Amino acid sequence: MDAIIIEKSDNFSPDSSFLGYDVFFLDIESLGYRGDSIAKSIWKENNRANIIMITSEIINGMDLFSAHISGIIRKPVTWEGIRYELSDLRYPVAQ
C-alpha cells in the first residue's frame, strides 16, 4: 500500500500525478477551502483513490459525497483512527 499526506495547499499542483498512490490523507483545515477541490482533482485522475479527510470541524456531507472520499478522521488523529479507516477502505488494497 502506498499512501501520501497532503497538508499544505501550496504543496499541491494540479499537474501532480496521483496514479502511484492507493490512499490519500488530506488535512482539510490546512488545505483551507481547497480541500474538496483537491480531493476531486485526485479522484478525477485516479478514480480508485481512497481519500481520507482529516478534520476537527463538522463537514457538509454533500461536499464529501461529491469529493468521493473513503473516510474521515477527526482530530486529534490517533493510530486507532488511522487503523480503522485503513481497515474499511472504499477500494481495498494489498498491504
Side-chain angles (χ1 to χ4, degrees):
M1 172 188 332
D2 292 317
I4 186 171
I5 298 171
I6 301 174
E7 57 184 351
K8 299 278 186 204
S9 60
D10 54 355
N11 293 342
F12 174 79
S13 164
D15 301 334
S16 300
S17 176
F18 300 108
L19 294 176
Y21 297 99
D22 303 306
V23 180
F24 298 82
F25 292 92
L26 302 181
D27 184 335
I28 58 177
E29 275 91 37
S30 295
L31 294 171
Y33 70 93
R34 296 188 59 207
D36 64 331
S37 64
I38 290 173
K40 289 175 188 176
S41 295
I42 291 169
W43 192 83
K44 186 176 179 182
E45 182 177 338
N46 180 355
N47 66 2
R48 292 193 53 84
N50 291 291
I51 301 168
I52 299 171
M53 299 286 201
I54 300 170
T55 184
S56 61
E57 299 177 7
I58 295 174
I59 306 170
N60 180 330
M62 292 306 292
D63 290 343
L64 297 180
F65 182 74
S66 67
H68 305 281
I69 71 153
S70 179
I72 302 169
I73 297 176
R74 295 288 305 243
K75 289 182 180 178
V77 177
T78 64
W79 282 112
E80 180 181 342
I82 293 169
R83 277 192 294 273
Y84 174 79
E85 290 301 334
L86 291 176
S87 72
D88 191 35
L89 294 172
R90 175 181 254 177
Y91 302 107
V93 295
Q95 305 238 355

